[in-house]
Amino acid sequence: MSFDINRRDIEFLLREFLDLNALTKLPKYSHVSTDDIASVLDAAEEIASSVIAPLNIPSDRIGARYDSATRTVTTSPGYKQAHARFAADAWGAANEPEEFGGMGLPQAINIALEEIFTGKCSAFSMAMGLTKAGANAIITLGSDEQKKRYVANMLSGKWTGTMCLTEPHAGTDVGDARAKAVPIEGREGIYKITGTKRFISFGEHDMTENIIHLVLARTPNSPAGTKGISLFIIPKYKLDASGSTTVHSNDVSCGGIEHKMGIHGSPTCTMNFGDAGECEGELLGKEHAGMDNMFLIMNEARLLVGLQAHAIGADSLRHAVAYAKERIQCADNRARGDRNAPKVQIVKHHDVRRMLTTMKAHVESIRALLFTTAYYLDMSKAAEDPADRKRYHGWVELLTPVCKAYASDIAHEVTLLGTQVAGGAGYCSDMPLEQNVRDVKICSIYEGTNGIQALDLVFRKLQMKGGRVFLGFIGEMRAKLYELEQYPELWPLARKVKSTMRSAGLALAMLMGKPILKKNYAGITTVLERFGVDFSGRREGDVALTNAVPLLEVFGIVLSAILLLREAATATDKLRSLSEKGDAEEIKFYRGKIATARFFVCHILPRANARIETIRSGDVSSMEDMF
Ligand SMILES: Cc1cc2nc3c(=O)[nH]c(=O)nc-3n(C[C@H](O)[C@H](O)[C@H](O)COP(=O)(O)OP(=O)(O)OC[C@H]3O[C@@H](n4cnc5c(N)ncnc54)[C@H](O)[C@@H]3O)c2cc1C
């Protein structure tokens, strides 16, 4: 098998880094054998290369098209056939319960499949990703009748699903939604829906016979804001008593699609509900619990967006490495002045190495972060002890904004570096590198912008259960760092990370301010004051609101450093058991892991220290009157 930089790393995580054996010993996953991982990945790569990859260029150049006369959307060439094939093989439901037609795989394995599929054409993969998130919300909240009617048909790909939150005037401010839902007399749980939703991914398309919209709307006399919002299931075509799609429109129409920077294959639709007063929706979950219920979809979708960004970044790494090994330009810079020095591949130049190693370090650390979070998600459902399930659930909640925001910001940086590595060729559309820059940018915007993710981290997640979830997680990470004491090559690097963690703790304390600390971290305020943290004279809230994004970045960088060092420890163990005469590619892989961790700690970790200095300055001059 040829050495694929991403595939080898995926296998490393699944087979050598994460303790999948512990997972598959649990009753929920006892039907899964870790011996099958390679063959599942092979099968996924086969369909990804033969069915999904050919979609990517037409998806960008032609994309989805809207016909205003019929108010219909034609998907990019090949999408319809590819969706049918992808769905028929049940790939869209790989980690879903077997009773609904899924394969019942853990998310820790499924995330690898999603990376493989999404990396080949991210716009195409969105349809099934959103559908799964919607089906899962129905599994969790729906009545038996609703589950029977919708879930299997969505997970099989017979119908797709959407998530309809945004309205023209209400983006981040979702609680301002105006779409209305009025109960229909004599029909329990059924409402007349009216309203317009904007920016709805795959709101309209020609791939399936029906589309199931999950829509936020307001019932009569409901309280203002998020507390007054409810969630509804609205099919594009009405269903008959047996649950089959009929030819009767449910008065849902597409008013147009956006012309946008990237993901051209994903139609971003304006959706009108009830223009003719005939749109009917079923309440999903309790009335007024719509926002909390929508979070069930959004949390899953946020992890998916982190994964989407990562998969695009990983694709850029693959192309950049391949190009750098082929392209010959200039002699080695160290032989400057020697006219006879041979020209070399650009991969030999120091600056190209710096860029490629930065990309590799980011891609591999984000992959480790996402796969580890997926593992925690599995444990939160499968662990036998309820206390363990709670602990893992808390960690997933804590890490979700980091997986979404840090991964998408970093993936954007990775795609930009990929373009730079390939020079002029990277800027032109013959290579997918420039498309990747455009496609990945949306990931920092949708599913709640990255600024909003940072506020979620600082004001909600860090304060869950009086800070105990966060402190418990940090305790676990510190313990993992201390285990590196037995690795002489890694311990000095681990100490640098520990030192950054200590400064980050002080910065965090300052950022939150004394009242929040007193409320949620009772007892540690005095200790922090003894460390010299000065709480006096702060404009309450300003420092935290200004520095939430830098803090999230610090969290992401520190976690990445820890994960890469842990990987390097695993690689060190493997190298000890491989003789020097062993498989040269394998030795190169493990040595590369150690070098990547060292590079990250020396070249990227210092960014966290710079951010910490910013936070500790307490400066809020951006709030002066100047715009
Ligand atoms: C291609 C695409 C696909 C999409 N798909 C879907 C979909 O399927 N379903 C759906 O419902 N929506 C979808 N969206 C909408 C998307 O989720 C929103 O665009 C996003 O939530 C931001 O809302 P907005 O565009 O109105 O920006 P605004 O809310 O106007 O925000 C503009 C800027 O102000 C900042 N800001 C706003 N409020 C605050 C605050 N309180 N504190 C700090 N900063 C703030 C934001 O972070 C942002 O930087 C999609 C959007 C796009 C472009």
Side-chain angles (χ1 to χ4, degrees):
M1 194 182 77
S2 68
F3 181 80
D4 176 329
I5 191 161
N6 294 321
R7 169 69 189 261
R8 181 63 188 90
D9 195 49
I10 287 173
E11 291 215 29
F12 170 77
L13 275 174
L14 293 183
R15 301 197 319 169
E16 301 166 56
F17 188 68
L18 294 175
D19 191 0
L20 285 190
N21 285 328
L23 199 61
T24 54
K25 277 193 194 116
L26 297 169
K28 186 171 168 60
Y29 296 118
S30 56
H31 60 286
V32 178
S33 163
T34 50
D35 295 341
D36 298 337
I37 287 175
S39 53
V40 174
L41 295 178
D42 282 345
E45 289 221 338
E46 199 286 308
I47 186 165
S49 309
S50 63
V51 176
I52 303 178
L55 304 174
N56 199 40
I57 290 178
S59 174
D60 187 53
R61 312 285 153 78
I62 302 168
R65 285 142 296 153
Y66 177 69
D67 180 346
S68 57
T70 55
R71 299 187 155 216
T72 53
V73 171
T74 306
T75 44
S76 180
Y79 266 44
K80 195 171 174 178
Q81 298 76 1
H83 178 81
R85 166 78 199 280
F86 189 75
D89 290 359
W91 285 113
N95 66 323
E96 297 296 334
E98 285 161 296
E99 61 174 303
F100 296 114
M103 299 182 202
L105 291 179
Q107 178 61 6
I109 296 178
N110 183 56
I111 195 166
L113 306 180
E114 283 175 352
E115 174 176 340
I116 291 170
F117 300 138
T118 306
K120 297 292 185 213
C121 181
S122 65
F124 171 78
S125 302
M126 287 169 65
M128 217 40 224
L130 285 161
T131 304
K132 269 173 58 170
N136 284 338
I138 299 175
I139 291 175
T140 310
L141 300 165
S143 63
D144 288 346
E145 185 56 33
Q146 286 173 328
K147 284 184 216 172
K148 210 168 115 204
R149 213 168 22 245
Y150 295 105
V151 175
N153 281 336
M154 291 173 78
L155 291 179
S156 69
K158 187 175 177 190
W159 304 337
T160 58
T162 72
M163 186 172 127
C164 302
L165 290 85
T166 308
E167 296 186 9
H169 69 288
T172 301
D173 203 356
V174 184
D176 213 18
R178 290 180 194 151
K180 281 198 191 120
V182 178
I184 301 178
E185 247 184 66
R187 293 177 65 198
E188 168 100 38
I190 309 293
Y191 292 68
K192 277 258 184 265
I193 310 287
T194 46
T196 295
K197 297 284 173 180
R198 190 184 183 203
F199 290 153
I200 305 307
S201 300
F202 282 92
E204 169 62 19
H205 61 77
D206 58 356
M207 300 193 301
T208 53
E209 63 169 39
N210 212 342
I211 303 172
I212 310 303
H213 303 283
L214 291 196
V215 180
L216 287 182
R218 229 168 244 296
T219 49
N221 307 318
S222 53
T226 47
K227 299 274 176 244
I229 288 182
S230 308
L231 183 58
F232 296 87
I233 309 176
I234 306 179
K236 173 182 168 186
Y237 289 107
K238 291 186 173 160
L239 306 183
D240 64 19
S242 71
S244 302
T245 299
T246 66
V247 291
H248 303 297
S249 158
N250 192 21
D251 194 11
V252 178
S253 64
C254 176
I257 64 174
E258 303 295 334
H259 301 279
K260 52 196 195 290
M261 179 191 262
I263 55 164
H264 297 153
S266 166
T268 307
C269 307
T270 297
M271 297 304 301
N272 300 314
F273 296 90
D275 275 0
E278 296 298 332
C279 178
E280 293 182 359
E282 294 176 41
L283 182 67
L284 176 62
K286 292 205 172 93
E287 191 181 357
H288 297 158
M291 215 42 231
D292 287 345
N293 292 340
M294 195 52 122
F295 264 106
L296 287 175
I297 315 179
M298 276 159 59
N299 277 338
E300 188 175 338
R302 284 174 178 177
L303 291 173
L304 210 63
V305 171
L307 188 273
Q308 179 182 21
H310 158 71
I312 299 171
D315 187 61
S316 283
L317 172 65
R318 190 166 60 85
H319 286 289
V321 169
Y323 185 82
K325 283 160 102 174
E326 265 176 25
R327 173 78 172 162
I328 293 175
Q329 203 69 191
C330 305
D332 188 319
N333 285 315
R334 288 168 294 194
R336 205 175 300 144
D338 176 359
R339 287 170 176 231
N340 298 320
K343 311 271 187 211
V344 297
Q345 303 147 301
I346 60 168
V347 73
K348 302 247 163 72
H349 295 311
H350 288 70
D351 188 51
V352 173
R353 288 303 267 238
R354 175 191 62 79
M355 291 190 280
L356 287 176
T357 314
T358 303
M359 292 173 76
K360 180 177 188 291
H362 279 321
V363 165
E364 293 182 6
S365 58
I366 298 288
R367 183 178 287 124
L369 171 65
L370 293 169
F371 282 40
T372 302
T373 307
Y375 181 86
Y376 292 161
L377 190 63
D378 292 326
M379 281 298 200
S380 74
K381 293 176 186 159
E384 289 188 289
D385 182 343
D388 284 340
R389 288 206 295 274
K390 263 195 194 153
R391 183 163 48 96
Y392 284 115
H393 176 75
W395 291 358
V396 172
E397 290 266 298
L398 176 70
L399 294 178
T400 297
V402 185
C403 287
K404 192 277 181 184
Y406 181 70
S408 55
D409 280 341
I410 291 299
H412 190 226
E413 180 185 337
V414 168
T415 59
L416 286 170
L417 281 171
T419 298
Q420 192 71 17
V421 165
Y427 192 71
C428 298
S429 49
D430 294 346
M431 291 185 78
L433 289 164
E434 65 84 30
Q435 182 187 337
N436 285 349
V437 173
R438 291 183 286 105
D439 282 354
V440 85
K441 184 59 203 140
I442 187 59
C443 298
S444 64
I445 296 171
Y446 58 19
E447 291 313 329
T449 61
N450 284 0
I452 298 303
Q453 302 300 320
L455 296 181
D456 179 44
L457 176 71
V458 172
F459 289 96
R460 214 166 76 77
K461 301 300 172 60
L462 293 185
Q463 297 177 40
M464 283 186 301
K465 303 212 163 118
R468 285 197 303 281
V469 173
F470 173 62
L471 293 176
F473 180 74
I474 291 299
E476 169 88 0
M477 291 300 113
R478 281 172 61 83
K480 298 257 178 238
L481 270 182
Y482 273 103
E483 285 171 16
L484 298 176
E485 237 172 332
Q486 45 179 311
Y487 296 86
E489 197 185 343
L490 302 179
W491 183 234
L493 302 172
R495 285 176 55 189
K496 281 184 199 258
V497 180
K498 278 194 323 138
S499 156
T500 304
M501 280 175 88
R502 201 167 32 246
S503 324
L506 297 179
L508 174 62
M510 252 184 117
L511 174 143
M512 289 204 166
K514 201 166 179 175
I516 293 177
L517 274 178
K518 272 213 154 146
K519 189 164 138 240
N520 287 322
Y521 293 84
I524 65 169
T525 321
T526 336
V527 181
L528 289 166
E529 276 170 335
R530 240 183 279 142
F531 266 104
V533 173
D534 175 14
F535 293 109
S536 59
R538 308 241 148 253
R539 282 196 273 164
E540 192 47 50
D542 275 356
V543 181
L545 289 165
T546 302
N547 287 298
V549 166
L551 187 88
L552 186 145
E553 189 183 349
V554 170
F555 197 175
I557 293 174
V558 168
L559 264 178
S560 297
I562 295 171
L563 289 165
L564 288 181
L565 283 172
R566 296 285 310 166
E567 289 194 353
T570 307
T572 307
D573 294 341
K574 293 281 171 184
L575 278 172
R576 279 183 196 140
S577 63
L578 273 176
S579 85
E580 281 296 322
K581 287 190 194 128
D583 182 337
E585 286 293 336
E586 285 294 279
I587 291 172
K588 181 168 102 177
F589 174 77
Y590 292 124
R591 286 194 178 145
K593 277 272 159 209
I594 298 167
T596 302
R598 197 182 322 117
F599 180 89
F600 192 95
V601 172
C602 297
H603 294 253
I604 299 173
L605 183 69
R607 287 187 199 178
N609 296 320
R611 298 287 176 270
I612 289 167
E613 197 179 321
T614 302
I615 297 167
R616 292 191 67 180
S617 77
D619 180 64
V620 289
S621 36
S622 53
M623 294 310 285
E624 296 297 337
D625 185 14
M626 57 183 156
F627 297 115

